[in-house]
Amino acid sequence: MTGVSYQTASAYCDWLSGESGRACRLPTEIEWEKAARGVDGRWYPWGRRFHHELCNVEDNGHMRVALPEKYPEDASPYGVRCLAGNVSDWTSTGRTDDPRGLKRPWHVVRGGFMRSPSTLARAA
């Protein structure tokens, strides 16, 4: 799903917690990175070298959201899919003291996006 605000993503986690009876929340930035790269020094979910054909980023020209099945190799050591490309992910990591001087809360987004260059697809 694309175009979801941080508030909407967080509210969905709250709703899902109530529906399932299990705690659900957005991952922290550190949790997201571990889920995306494991603990063996990977830069991308599949290894240390970038391969544009393994994920949905600008370099492969797809330029729209794809089903995860289109890029089966874009899976982390934990089996989490599409963390290098397709859509970016909200994390719960955030601050209110924006280094750019803005006076509003902000949250960290991780992962590549279907229209982002490969340099943003890194899990590290």
Side-chain angles (χ1 to χ4, degrees):
M1 178 176 278
T2 62
V4 176
S5 70
Y6 173 81
Q7 292 77 13
T8 300
S10 186
Y12 176 77
C13 290
D14 293 342
W15 173 84
L16 186 57
S17 294
E19 288 291 310
S20 68
R22 296 181 1 197
C24 179
R25 61 174 175 77
L26 295 171
T28 66
E29 182 177 18
I30 293 169
E31 291 167 338
W32 186 97
E33 185 169 328
K34 184 178 180 188
R37 64 188 296 226
V39 295
D40 60 1
R42 298 167 184 232
W43 291 353
Y44 304 95
W46 55 81
R48 292 186 59 92
R49 302 192 99 166
F50 181 75
H51 301 282
H52 75 275
E53 70 278 3
L54 300 183
C55 65
N56 187 15
V57 291
E58 179 183 57
D59 301 36
N60 67 20
H62 191 65
M63 303 300 279
R64 62 182 184 272
V65 176
L67 293 173
E69 293 78 24
K70 184 168 175 76
Y71 299 96
E73 294 88 0
D74 187 4
S76 79
Y78 299 104
V80 184
R81 305 284 299 276
C82 295
L83 295 176
N86 217 18
V87 298
S88 299
D89 304 305
W90 285 111
T91 71
S92 62
T93 303
R95 301 170 55 166
T96 55
D97 58 331
D98 190 317
R100 297 167 293 175
L102 302 174
K103 300 298 182 198
R104 58 183 168 84
W106 58 276
H107 290 86
V108 175
V109 174
R110 295 294 303 266
F113 177 62
M114 64 191 151
R115 293 186 182 140
S116 65
S118 59
T119 55
L120 298 180
R122 287 184 55 152

